[in-house]
Amino acid sequence: MMRPVPPLVDSVIDTIGCTPAVNLRRAVAARGLKGRVIAKLELLNPGFSKKDRVGLEMVRQAHAAGLLAEGQTVVELTSGNTGTGLAIACRALGHRFIAVMSKGNTPERATMMRALGAEVELVDQAPNSTPGQVTGEDLALVAKRTEELVRQHNAFRASQFDLQFNPLAHELHTGPELWQQAQGRIDAFVDFAGTTGSFVGVMRYLRKMNPDVRGYLLEPAGAPVMAGRPVTHAGHRIQGGGYSLANPPLLDRSLVTDYLTVDDDAATAGARELARMEGIFGGYSSGANYHAAMTLLAGREAGNTVAMLVCDSGLKYVSTDLYV
């Protein structure tokens, strides 16, 4: 039977969202586990990540709230994915966009944002930082430069760490899509923590539908600060999160059932297994989510349905050894 064909649309922003979800049957069976892992393919958004939703929602909601004027410049710090989403939305809706990013992030992200019409300013890492590993100290340097550019250009700051438009994108869209795709059968949701926008937004919707849905927030093994534990190693390879922020402004702790950790090796192995077993080519955070979901299914969530996001595409990491 032929699947429904997506409609002809007038703008690429109309293709953001409504991403497919896959029941990871092969991977679950190969591990001899009972239950389901449902992976939502956010890498199939036009900017190859879940942050396309956030970029578009930021611009639309800021317009509606009177925070963003027609033609006004938009500025935001990014690890690359939110910047890509904002570049797409700003180009379509008539705004100049300046992305501010640490040099510790992969260069292909900056290349993609520039190709989409963004101006990209790269900020040097802190003296003791490792290329490819962006720490909270690096992020602070990026935030400082971002504020300077906002003042310089009288710009709107699309603050993904602070504005509720971020989780709203996932509460209005990602969560409802996931619930419908799973036919209302989700017992738990696991998500790697960055701004915490996708975790909070998806969990808000899932809890509306079923107050018993459990939420697991995932952090790097060396910096489990949201769980109240000490930082032993701030650097890690899982880009887009794990910035050693103990209390990110968007985090709603009432949605957290438990805090989990993942190290670089497990995230890397998870991404590779997801690609090999299921043909899904995700990045480090997708591998981290996959590892955590499988660990839950092998333990406390045995026999249940665990949902996760494939946050972005492995194409954003070809300069790393993720798939070497």
Side-chain angles (χ1 to χ4, degrees):
M1 181 181 295
M2 184 175 178
R3 292 187 299 170
V5 176
L8 176 68
V9 295
D10 292 326
S11 170
V12 71
I13 61 174
D14 297 325
T15 70
I16 293 173
C18 293
T19 56
V22 177
N23 182 6
L24 304 183
R25 293 177 183 271
R26 290 187 193 87
V28 170
R31 288 177 174 237
L33 301 177
K34 301 296 184 182
R36 299 191 301 174
V37 172
I38 293 178
K40 190 154 175 59
L41 304 188
E42 293 299 284
L43 81 172
L44 294 182
N45 281 302
F48 309 144
S49 92
K50 65 181 182 179
K51 292 300 185 78
D52 287 7
R53 298 178 185 266
V54 174
L56 179 58
E57 201 69 29
M58 282 278 190
V59 175
R60 283 180 168 167
Q61 294 287 346
H63 268 299
L67 300 174
L68 176 62
E70 295 293 333
Q72 186 179 7
T73 297
V74 176
V75 174
E76 178 54 341
L77 61 79
T78 181
S79 66
N81 284 338
T82 301
T84 298
L86 283 166
I88 292 170
C90 287
R91 178 59 52 174
L93 299 174
H95 295 276
R96 176 189 181 192
F97 173 57
I98 304 174
V100 192
M101 190 173 80
S102 171
K103 289 183 178 178
N105 292 114
T106 55
E108 47 267 42
R109 294 172 177 233
T111 299
M112 186 174 184
M113 287 188 287
R114 290 192 181 101
L116 292 167
E119 299 169 42
V120 181
E121 178 145 346
L122 298 176
V123 178
D124 289 334
Q125 290 185 268
N128 296 321
S129 293
T130 302
Q133 300 183 11
V134 179
T135 66
E137 190 176 1
D138 295 323
L139 187 65
L141 295 174
V142 177
K144 179 181 178 182
R145 181 56 182 151
T146 301
E147 289 300 331
E148 291 171 354
L149 289 167
V150 168
R151 291 192 294 270
Q152 179 182 336
H153 296 283
N154 191 29
F156 168 69
R157 169 78 189 274
S159 184
Q160 60 175 314
F161 281 88
D162 300 285
L163 292 177
Q164 285 294 330
F165 304 152
N166 176 349
L168 185 64
H170 299 291
E171 183 178 1
L172 292 178
H173 306 292
T174 317
E177 291 170 24
L178 190 51
W179 184 257
Q180 182 177 344
Q181 288 163 329
Q183 298 179 316
R185 291 178 50 223
I186 295 175
D187 299 294
F189 175 67
V190 62
D191 201 32
F192 183 72
T195 65
T196 71
S198 57
F199 175 82
V200 169
V202 169
M203 278 301 300
R204 278 179 179 163
Y205 183 81
L206 296 181
R207 284 276 176 88
K208 287 177 186 176
M209 304 309 292
N210 178 1
D212 294 327
V213 174
R214 293 170 290 282
Y216 296 97
L217 196 60
L218 187 56
E219 296 186 88
V225 294
M226 295 183 198
R229 292 158 55 192
V231 176
T232 57
H233 181 64
H236 60 88
R237 308 192 72 182
I238 311 169
Q239 296 185 29
Y243 297 121
S244 302
L245 300 175
N247 293 293
L250 297 176
L251 178 57
D252 179 351
R253 292 185 182 272
S254 71
L255 300 171
V256 183
T257 302
D258 202 0
Y259 301 86
L260 307 178
T261 59
V262 62
D263 62 27
D264 288 352
D265 289 344
T268 299
R272 291 173 179 174
E273 183 175 321
L274 184 60
R276 184 178 67 254
M277 294 296 299
E278 298 285 354
I280 298 171
F281 191 56
Y284 283 107
S285 58
S286 304
N289 286 344
Y290 173 82
H291 168 79
M294 288 296 183
T295 301
L296 286 166
L297 207 64
R300 68 180 89 177
E301 296 292 345
N304 292 331
T305 294
V306 180
M308 56 163 278
L309 305 181
V310 180
C311 307
D312 66 0
S313 170
L315 291 171
K316 299 195 176 194
Y317 304 91
V318 294
S319 65
T320 75
D321 61 1
L322 177 57
Y323 286 106
V324 171

